[in-house]
Amino acid sequence: MESVLQTRLKEIQIYYSNNKELIHADFKKCIDMLYSEACSLQQKEKKGPIQFLSISYLQRCIFTKKHEVRLDLYDKDFYLDKCKTTQYWDMNFLFHFFEQDMEYFKNHIGKLTFQIKDYEEKEFALWYITHYYKIAELFFRDHINDMIHNEFSVSLKRCEDFKVVFGGYMDEQTVLHQLREE
């Protein structure tokens, strides 16, 4: 399995390198829409200062094959923020490799055993996709500046303790960046 991951990582790097501008433009568009929506809500005094930019992967992708991450701007109440500001960004540029790996494992294991039960395949997929979430986390760590400095960020009211966090939706999240405004 490690050899599959190492080979796949090289393929991901090549694909990313060849499509970097398109991927960045699409991500920037999503972030701009998120910030624009929050700025508009703040101008109407419907949304308070932002404390968290949350990037969440969604476990449902194992079942739906739609590999989006959820981007939210939350106030100090985080998930309890009364005024939701959300965008979804399709990360198929990364997760289509995950789907290829799953097909490979399904075919490879299928030759070794009689039949894999559906729940066994889903359990394996939930475990295996964590490797891809770590790659996604690296992408977001590399793009912190794109997420906190854009044309709308000047207008956005933020808390002094603004954080960018990453993790599963409604699950524990890791702080990728913390901005302390002086």
Side-chain angles (χ1 to χ4, degrees):
M1 182 166 49
E2 282 184 36
S3 64
V4 172
L5 275 171
Q6 287 180 351
T7 301
R8 193 63 75 202
L9 191 53
K10 290 174 187 169
E11 291 176 18
I12 291 168
Q13 290 170 329
I14 291 167
Y15 183 86
Y16 177 76
S17 180
N18 291 338
N19 296 282
K20 187 185 288 191
E21 288 81 23
L22 183 62
I23 293 166
H24 288 190
D26 190 46
F27 181 60
K28 182 185 180 325
K29 180 181 171 187
C30 182
I31 290 292
D32 286 350
M33 288 176 16
L34 181 70
Y35 274 49
S36 174
E37 181 183 352
C39 286
S40 176
L41 289 168
Q42 284 181 339
Q43 288 172 352
K44 297 173 187 172
E45 298 184 5
K46 293 182 177 183
K47 186 156 188 78
I50 304 301
Q51 185 163 3
F52 300 95
L53 167 53
S54 172
I55 306 160
S56 306
Y57 51 84
L58 307 167
Q59 296 287 352
R60 71 178 184 224
C61 69
I62 297 294
F63 305 98
T64 64
K65 309 282 191 233
K66 191 171 183 180
H67 295 282
E68 298 175 314
V69 290
R70 180 180 167 137
L71 298 120
D72 292 280
L73 288 173
Y74 293 120
D75 66 13
K76 62 181 176 26
D77 295 326
F78 203 65
Y79 288 129
L80 300 178
D81 187 341
K82 290 180 174 62
C83 187
K84 304 292 184 211
T85 309
T86 303
Q87 288 292 321
Y88 291 89
W89 185 51
D90 187 349
M91 289 195 73
N92 197 45
F93 75 90
L94 171 62
F95 288 99
H96 80 272
F97 291 103
F98 166 78
E99 293 298 336
Q100 290 175 2
D101 288 355
M102 291 308 300
E103 279 301 311
Y104 169 80
F105 288 129
K106 186 176 177 181
N107 293 334
H108 185 71
I109 292 170
K111 292 177 185 174
L112 301 173
T113 63
F114 290 106
Q115 185 175 354
I116 301 170
K117 294 184 172 61
D118 191 46
Y119 77 89
E120 293 170 321
E121 182 182 333
K122 297 300 184 217
E123 283 179 6
F124 176 76
L126 285 168
W127 170 80
Y128 186 70
I129 201 166
T130 60
H131 299 293
Y132 279 84
Y133 292 149
K134 289 175 185 171
I135 296 168
E137 180 180 339
L138 293 173
F139 172 86
F140 294 117
R141 282 187 187 276
D142 286 346
H143 292 87
I144 290 293
N145 283 332
D146 297 336
M147 291 186 278
I148 61 175
H149 302 294
N150 69 12
E151 63 184 282
F152 300 101
S153 65
V154 176
S155 305
L156 190 70
K157 295 176 193 137
R158 292 189 255 199
C159 294
E160 291 179 8
D161 195 16
F162 175 78
K163 296 177 182 127
V164 178
V165 295
F166 175 79
Y169 182 65
M170 300 294 275
D171 199 357
E172 184 176 345
Q173 300 215 325
T174 302
V175 175
L176 299 182
H177 181 76
Q178 187 167 347
L179 178 67
R180 292 204 179 266
E181 296 179 358
E182 303 299 325

